[in-house]
């Protein structure tokens, strides 16, 4: 009822939401339209850009290679990706507007990259990154050009949490260690074993035929369909945000995490690795609010304000219980067009809610995700 109301009231054009236990799907529903002005309904198999929900899948791939001894969490990442040895810390800008930098105090590691403590920021939430991009003539991360990775560090590795392009760099380590493109590695070792058959970086004709449109919410609250898709022939695939998927596909990944890294006889990670993913990996550091530097792409964003939050390997962790019913130790993250998921290993439940709305942290979509999660917990009580 709440999902139907959200579309009928015009809060969101279309929505797909699903919830799962360890054993199987608890709920699935799709409401509204794939795109405003179209007659095509949003469906359970509608394809959406999941953006930063890609990060948990890329992290999974990286940790598989750690298990195999091909990557190390705490070794200098430049041993695998030599370009990282060139990363320098931004200290300011000179009179001509050029970045002033210095060498970092310590090497960047894969653990730094996976936990947003590497020093890399993101143009969407950092005016300093944008200024450095302009001064050095660097493309934006969504361009799919490798030069976009060459932004300066905003601080020394390990010294604070700041959302950034670290997991895009982790994708480069995966390619170097495996000898495969990120997309090929993910397909063979993560997506195919989990039977996530509608998840990919490139929109094949079958995926495109089910694609939901992306909408922009104007300052007055109105929604309009916009022309947007990721670069389809990039120089590198964005491990931090390039995938398209469906709710049912991503729910299979959620279920695999709930089951300690296995689903229907296919193991993608060891149980101990999954436990590490769900454990605070940033010590005394804390996840901070993300103040927008590109209002067209994101509002100011903070999930669960007032609740202490840390970061594991791939996930935000709530250190206290949430108003929705999720206990301490829950995992979650989201994607730029207001796609969301949560994983509660203690309760054995998780869920996915997908819209296609910009800017990120849309108040209507965030509220709907919270209401859906609450409804799931209420139904189980």
């Amino acid at each position: 009822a709440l999902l139907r109301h959200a579309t009928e009231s015009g809060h969101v054009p279309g929505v797909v939401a699903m919830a799962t236990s360890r054993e199987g799907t608890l709920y699935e529903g799709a409401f509204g339209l794939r795109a405003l002005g179209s007659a095509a309904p949003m469906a359970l198999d509608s394809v959406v850009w999941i953006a930063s929900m890609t990060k948990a899948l890329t992290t999974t791939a990286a940790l598989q290679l750690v298990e195999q001894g091909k990557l190390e969490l705490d070794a200098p990442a430049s041993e695998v990706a030599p370009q990282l040895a060139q990363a320098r810390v931004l200290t300011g800008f000179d009179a001509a507007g050029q970045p002033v930098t210095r060498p970092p105090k310590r090497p960047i590691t894969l653990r730094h990259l996976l936990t947003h403590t590497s020093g890399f920021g993101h143009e969407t939430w950092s005016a300093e990154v944008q200024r450095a991009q302009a001064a050095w003539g660097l493309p934006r991360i969504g361009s799919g050009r490798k030069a976009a990775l060459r932004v300066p560090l905003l601080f020394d590795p390990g010294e604070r949490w700041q959302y950034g392009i670290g997991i895009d760099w982790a994708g480069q380590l995966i390619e170097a260690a495996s000898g495969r493109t990120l997309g090929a590695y993910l397909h063979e070792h993560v997506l195919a074993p989990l039977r996530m058959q509608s998840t990919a970086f490139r929109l094949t004709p079958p995926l495109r035929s089910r694609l939901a449109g992306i909408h922009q919410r104007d300052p007055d609250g109105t929604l309009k369909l916009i022309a947007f898709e990721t670069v389809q022939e990039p120089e590198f695939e964005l491990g931090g945000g390039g995938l398209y998927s469906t709710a049912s596909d991503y729910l299979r990944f959620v279920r695999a995490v709930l089951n300690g890294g296995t689903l229907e006889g296919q193991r993608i990670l060891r149980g101990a690795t999954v436990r590490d993913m769900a454990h605070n990996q940033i010590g005394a550091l804390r996840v901070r609010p993300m103040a927008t530097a590109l209002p067209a792409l994101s509002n100011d964003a903070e999930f669960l304000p007032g609740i202490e939050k840390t970061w594991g390997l791939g996930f935000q962790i709530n250190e206290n219980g949430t108003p929705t019913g999720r206990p301490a130790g829950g995992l979650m993250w989201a994607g730029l067009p207001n796609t969301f998921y949560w994983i509660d290993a203690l309760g054995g439940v998780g869920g996915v809610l997908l819209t296609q709305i910009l800017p990120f942290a849309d108040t209507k979509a965030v509220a709907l995700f919270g209401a859906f999660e609450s409804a799931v917990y209420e139904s189980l009580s």
Side-chain angles (χ1 to χ4, degrees):
L2 69 92
L3 296 170
R4 183 181 294 109
H5 172 73
T7 57
E8 291 178 351
S9 64
H11 291 170
V12 299
V15 60
V16 186
M18 297 185 180
T20 186
S21 67
R22 288 190 173 91
E23 290 73 36
T25 303
L26 298 171
Y27 172 81
E28 57 185 18
F31 299 89
L33 301 173
R34 286 209 313 242
L36 290 177
S38 164
M42 188 71 99
L44 296 176
D45 66 348
S46 290
V47 173
V48 306
W49 178 40
I50 62 169
S52 287
M53 286 171 57
T54 304
K55 287 178 167 66
L57 296 166
T58 301
T59 298
T60 297
L63 293 175
Q64 288 181 338
L65 293 166
V66 171
E67 290 182 348
Q68 297 166 28
K70 295 179 180 178
L71 289 175
E72 295 181 42
L73 279 170
D74 297 311
S78 59
E79 293 176 359
V80 179
Q83 319 91 288
L84 277 170
Q86 302 168 15
R88 294 173 65 88
V89 178
L90 180 68
T91 60
F93 295 86
D94 65 20
Q98 288 299 305
V100 178
T101 64
R102 61 165 173 80
K105 294 178 181 177
R106 59 192 65 87
I108 298 167
T109 67
L110 177 58
R111 192 185 304 274
H112 291 142
L113 295 172
L114 296 180
T115 58
H116 300 292
T117 60
S118 63
F120 285 115
H122 194 291
E123 64 208 28
T124 306
W125 298 279
S126 174
E128 290 176 303
V129 169
Q130 291 182 35
R131 192 174 174 188
Q133 287 172 322
W136 287 348
L138 300 177
R140 291 186 168 177
I141 191 68
S143 69
R145 293 168 55 194
K146 285 192 174 183
L149 294 168
R150 296 203 291 264
V151 293
L153 305 178
L154 300 179
F155 51 90
D156 285 297
E159 296 201 350
R160 74 174 192 248
W161 183 93
Q162 181 156 337
Y163 197 62
I165 63 167
I167 297 178
D168 296 300
W169 269 109
Q172 296 297 286
L173 268 66
I174 292 165
E175 293 192 349
S178 69
R180 309 287 302 280
T181 66
L182 178 59
Y185 182 91
L186 275 173
H187 176 76
E188 183 175 350
H189 297 280
V190 180
L191 305 178
L194 295 181
R195 292 199 293 120
M196 296 174 65
Q197 299 169 343
S198 295
T199 303
F201 286 107
R202 287 170 179 79
L203 287 165
T204 62
L207 294 183
R208 191 178 290 280
S209 70
R210 295 183 275 128
L211 183 65
I214 292 183
H215 302 80
Q216 185 86 28
R217 193 183 300 279
D218 288 337
D220 65 2
T222 59
L223 288 162
K224 63 182 179 184
L225 183 67
I226 61 172
F228 175 90
E229 68 179 43
T230 62
V231 176
Q232 291 295 289
E233 295 298 332
E235 292 179 4
F236 76 105
E237 290 159 328
L238 284 173
L243 284 174
Y244 289 84
S245 189
T246 64
S248 54
D249 264 23
Y250 208 85
L251 201 73
R252 295 183 65 79
F253 171 68
V254 169
R255 194 177 300 142
V257 175
L258 287 173
N259 283 292
T262 186
L263 182 67
E264 297 169 358
Q266 294 292 316
R267 178 165 291 282
I268 57 167
L269 286 173
R270 299 170 187 163
T273 301
V274 175
R275 287 191 293 274
D276 284 343
M277 294 175 83
H279 177 72
N280 175 18
Q281 299 289 329
I282 62 174
L285 301 178
R286 291 296 179 265
V287 171
R288 309 186 314 165
M290 298 155 58
T292 186
L294 282 173
L297 289 183
S298 179
N299 297 300
D300 291 344
E302 181 185 13
F303 292 109
L304 308 173
I307 290 175
E308 192 171 353
K309 297 172 288 288
T310 60
W311 199 269
L313 296 170
F315 307 112
Q316 177 180 279
I317 304 170
N318 53 284
E319 296 293 336
N320 317 106
T322 75
T324 60
R326 191 191 321 162
L331 313 175
M332 73 156 293
W333 202 236
L336 198 70
N338 288 283
T339 62
F340 312 95
Y341 70 91
W342 91 93
I343 303 172
D344 168 9
L346 182 65
V349 65
V352 176
L353 185 142
L354 306 176
T355 70
Q356 294 287 269
I357 299 170
L358 294 173
F360 181 57
D362 178 76
T363 55
K364 299 292 188 185
V366 171
L368 184 61
F369 173 56
F372 174 66
E373 184 180 345
S374 295
V376 170
Y377 280 110
E378 287 169 9
S379 75
L380 297 173
S381 61

